[in-house]
Amino acid sequence: MKKLRYLSLTLAALLLMNPSAYAGCGEMEAQCLVIKGETTTPASCTITVCANASEYLSDWSISDGTTLSHTSSADKSTIRINGKPGYQIPYDILKDNLTCYGNADMSQVYCAKDVSL
């Protein structure tokens, strides 16, 4: 019985040392910006961000019904806006602390401030 307890403790310690075990998630209510053409409209949104040592996930739910997801790992990065491919707008051309994504033809852009874990 004693050996079984030590084995269980050893296995638990090994699992805790796994890099994917170091993970965290955060959810925030935010004010997003929806940009369509020349019009910028504020919209409430919920943003969930999760990350571990090897993956990043950000899910946005915007009050106008738009859903946005960004998943990233060492191998690939995928951005989907309402289930269709999207793009992240580079930080160096944006205003301070904004994270923005656009649809394929950039006719719609979605931004939020201070999106981080």
Side-chain angles (χ1 to χ4, degrees), residues 55-81:
E55 294 178 306
Y56 168 88
L57 167 69
S58 178
D59 281 322
W60 298 24
S61 179
I62 302 171
S63 62
D64 70 357
T66 300
T67 59
L68 188 151
S69 68
H70 179 187
T71 57
S72 183
S73 66
D75 299 333
K76 68 177 184 173
S77 181
T78 304
I79 297 168
R80 306 294 269 173
I81 299 173

Side-chain angles (χ1 to χ4, degrees), residues 9-96:
L9 290 173
T10 302
L11 288 173
L14 288 173
L15 288 173
L16 290 174
M17 297 175 86
N18 183 340
S20 64
Y22 297 108
C25 289
E27 183 175 284
M28 65 184 227
E29 297 296 320
Q31 187 74 17
C32 287
L33 299 174
V34 179
I35 304 165
K36 294 180 183 179
E38 298 294 317
T39 305
T40 300
T41 307
S44 60
C45 58
T46 302
I47 300 173
T48 303
V49 177
C50 295
N52 63 28
S54 59
E55 294 178 306
Y56 168 88
L57 167 69
S58 178
D59 281 322
W60 298 24
S61 179
I62 302 171
S63 62
D64 70 357
T66 300
T67 59
L68 188 151
S69 68
H70 179 187
T71 57
S72 183
S73 66
D75 299 333
K76 68 177 184 173
S77 181
T78 304
I79 297 168
R80 306 294 269 173
I81 299 173
N82 292 329
K84 297 179 181 172
Y87 300 95
Q88 184 169 15
I89 298 173
Y91 294 114
D92 57 347
I93 63 172
L94 297 171
K95 296 179 182 175
D96 294 333

